[in-house]
Short mmCIF file of all heavy atoms in Angstrom, two decimals:
data_model
loop_
_atom_site.label_atom_id
_atom_site.label_comp_id
_atom_site.label_asym_id
_atom_site.label_seq_id
_atom_site.Cartn_x
_atom_site.Cartn_y
_atom_site.Cartn_z
N THR A 23 7.32 2.90 -14.60
CA THR A 23 8.57 3.25 -15.27
C THR A 23 9.75 3.28 -14.31
O THR A 23 10.90 3.24 -14.74
CB THR A 23 8.48 4.61 -15.97
OG1 THR A 23 8.29 5.64 -15.00
CG2 THR A 23 7.35 4.63 -16.99
N ARG A 24 9.47 3.34 -13.01
CA ARG A 24 10.54 3.51 -12.02
C ARG A 24 10.68 2.36 -11.02
O ARG A 24 11.67 2.30 -10.30
CB ARG A 24 10.33 4.81 -11.26
CG ARG A 24 10.41 6.00 -12.18
CD ARG A 24 9.92 7.25 -11.52
NE ARG A 24 9.82 8.30 -12.52
CZ ARG A 24 10.49 9.43 -12.46
NH1 ARG A 24 11.29 9.68 -11.47
NH2 ARG A 24 10.35 10.32 -13.41
N LEU A 25 9.67 1.50 -10.94
CA LEU A 25 9.70 0.42 -9.96
C LEU A 25 9.54 -0.94 -10.65
O LEU A 25 8.86 -1.05 -11.67
CB LEU A 25 8.56 0.57 -8.95
CG LEU A 25 8.56 1.80 -8.06
CD1 LEU A 25 7.27 1.85 -7.25
CD2 LEU A 25 9.76 1.78 -7.13
N ALA A 26 10.13 -1.94 -10.04
CA ALA A 26 9.93 -3.30 -10.51
C ALA A 26 8.47 -3.69 -10.25
O ALA A 26 7.83 -3.17 -9.33
CB ALA A 26 10.86 -4.25 -9.79
N GLY A 27 7.94 -4.59 -11.05
CA GLY A 27 6.54 -4.97 -10.94
C GLY A 27 6.13 -5.43 -9.56
O GLY A 27 5.04 -5.12 -9.08
N TYR A 28 7.00 -6.18 -8.89
CA TYR A 28 6.65 -6.69 -7.56
C TYR A 28 6.68 -5.60 -6.49
O TYR A 28 6.19 -5.82 -5.38
CB TYR A 28 7.55 -7.86 -7.17
CG TYR A 28 8.99 -7.49 -6.89
CD1 TYR A 28 9.40 -7.18 -5.59
CD2 TYR A 28 9.93 -7.43 -7.90
CE1 TYR A 28 10.71 -6.84 -5.32
CE2 TYR A 28 11.24 -7.10 -7.64
CZ TYR A 28 11.63 -6.80 -6.34
OH TYR A 28 12.93 -6.46 -6.08
N LYS A 29 7.22 -4.44 -6.81
CA LYS A 29 7.27 -3.33 -5.84
C LYS A 29 6.10 -2.36 -6.00
O LYS A 29 5.93 -1.47 -5.18
CB LYS A 29 8.57 -2.56 -5.99
CG LYS A 29 9.79 -3.35 -5.57
CD LYS A 29 11.03 -2.49 -5.65
CE LYS A 29 12.24 -3.27 -5.18
NZ LYS A 29 13.45 -2.43 -5.22
N LEU A 30 5.29 -2.52 -7.03
CA LEU A 30 4.15 -1.63 -7.24
C LEU A 30 3.12 -1.84 -6.14
O LEU A 30 2.76 -2.98 -5.83
CB LEU A 30 3.50 -1.89 -8.59
CG LEU A 30 4.28 -1.47 -9.81
CD1 LEU A 30 3.57 -1.94 -11.07
CD2 LEU A 30 4.45 0.03 -9.84
N PRO A 31 2.63 -0.76 -5.54
CA PRO A 31 1.60 -0.91 -4.51
C PRO A 31 0.28 -1.37 -5.12
O PRO A 31 -0.08 -0.97 -6.22
CB PRO A 31 1.48 0.49 -3.91
CG PRO A 31 2.00 1.40 -4.95
CD PRO A 31 3.01 0.63 -5.74
N ARG A 32 -0.41 -2.24 -4.41
CA ARG A 32 -1.73 -2.70 -4.87
C ARG A 32 -2.83 -1.78 -4.36
O ARG A 32 -3.93 -1.78 -4.90
CB ARG A 32 -1.97 -4.13 -4.40
CG ARG A 32 -1.09 -5.12 -5.16
CD ARG A 32 -1.32 -6.52 -4.68
NE ARG A 32 -0.50 -6.70 -3.47
CZ ARG A 32 -0.76 -7.56 -2.51
NH1 ARG A 32 -1.81 -8.33 -2.58
NH2 ARG A 32 0.04 -7.65 -1.47
N ILE A 33 -2.54 -1.02 -3.32
CA ILE A 33 -3.53 -0.12 -2.73
C ILE A 33 -2.92 1.27 -2.65
O ILE A 33 -1.80 1.44 -2.18
CB ILE A 33 -3.91 -0.59 -1.30
CG1 ILE A 33 -4.49 -2.00 -1.33
CG2 ILE A 33 -4.88 0.39 -0.65
CD1 ILE A 33 -4.63 -2.63 0.04
N LEU A 34 -3.67 2.26 -3.13
CA LEU A 34 -3.24 3.65 -3.04
C LEU A 34 -4.30 4.43 -2.26
O LEU A 34 -5.49 4.33 -2.56
CB LEU A 34 -3.09 4.28 -4.43
CG LEU A 34 -2.00 3.73 -5.32
CD1 LEU A 34 -2.12 4.34 -6.72
CD2 LEU A 34 -0.64 4.01 -4.75
N HIS A 35 -3.85 5.19 -1.27
CA HIS A 35 -4.76 6.06 -0.51
C HIS A 35 -4.25 7.49 -0.67
O HIS A 35 -3.08 7.78 -0.41
CB HIS A 35 -4.79 5.69 0.97
CG HIS A 35 -5.52 4.44 1.27
ND1 HIS A 35 -6.87 4.29 1.06
CD2 HIS A 35 -5.09 3.25 1.75
CE1 HIS A 35 -7.23 3.08 1.41
NE2 HIS A 35 -6.17 2.43 1.82
N PHE A 36 -5.13 8.38 -1.12
CA PHE A 36 -4.79 9.79 -1.24
C PHE A 36 -5.14 10.48 0.08
O PHE A 36 -6.27 10.37 0.56
CB PHE A 36 -5.55 10.43 -2.41
CG PHE A 36 -5.02 9.99 -3.74
CD1 PHE A 36 -5.50 8.84 -4.35
CD2 PHE A 36 -4.05 10.73 -4.38
CE1 PHE A 36 -5.00 8.44 -5.58
CE2 PHE A 36 -3.55 10.34 -5.62
CZ PHE A 36 -4.02 9.18 -6.21
N LEU A 37 -4.16 11.15 0.66
CA LEU A 37 -4.34 11.84 1.93
C LEU A 37 -4.07 13.33 1.74
O LEU A 37 -3.33 13.73 0.85
CB LEU A 37 -3.36 11.29 2.97
CG LEU A 37 -3.39 9.78 3.23
CD1 LEU A 37 -2.27 9.40 4.18
CD2 LEU A 37 -4.73 9.39 3.82
N GLU A 38 -4.67 14.13 2.61
CA GLU A 38 -4.41 15.58 2.58
C GLU A 38 -3.01 15.89 3.08
O GLU A 38 -2.36 16.80 2.60
CB GLU A 38 -5.46 16.31 3.39
CG GLU A 38 -6.85 16.24 2.79
CD GLU A 38 -7.88 16.97 3.63
OE1 GLU A 38 -7.49 17.78 4.50
OE2 GLU A 38 -9.07 16.73 3.40
N ALA A 39 -2.57 15.14 4.10
CA ALA A 39 -1.23 15.32 4.68
C ALA A 39 -0.88 14.08 5.48
O ALA A 39 -1.76 13.35 5.92
CB ALA A 39 -1.20 16.55 5.58
N LEU A 40 0.41 13.86 5.65
CA LEU A 40 0.86 12.76 6.48
C LEU A 40 0.91 13.22 7.94
O LEU A 40 1.32 14.35 8.21
CB LEU A 40 2.25 12.30 6.06
CG LEU A 40 2.34 11.60 4.71
CD1 LEU A 40 3.79 11.35 4.34
CD2 LEU A 40 1.57 10.30 4.73
N PRO A 41 0.47 12.37 8.87
CA PRO A 41 0.57 12.76 10.29
C PRO A 41 2.03 12.78 10.72
O PRO A 41 2.81 11.91 10.33
CB PRO A 41 -0.22 11.66 11.01
CG PRO A 41 -0.21 10.50 10.07
CD PRO A 41 -0.13 11.06 8.69
N LEU A 42 2.39 13.78 11.49
CA LEU A 42 3.77 13.94 11.93
C LEU A 42 3.89 13.85 13.44
O LEU A 42 2.95 14.18 14.17
CB LEU A 42 4.32 15.29 11.44
CG LEU A 42 4.31 15.55 9.95
CD1 LEU A 42 4.81 16.96 9.66
CD2 LEU A 42 5.13 14.51 9.20
#
Side-chain angles (χ1 to χ4, degrees):
T23 64
R24 297 168 190 240
L25 297 173
Y28 70 92
K29 292 184 178 182
L30 289 173
R32 289 179 277 155
I33 300 169
L34 294 173
H35 287 295
F36 288 87
L37 304 174
E38 293 179 16
L40 291 173
L42 302 177

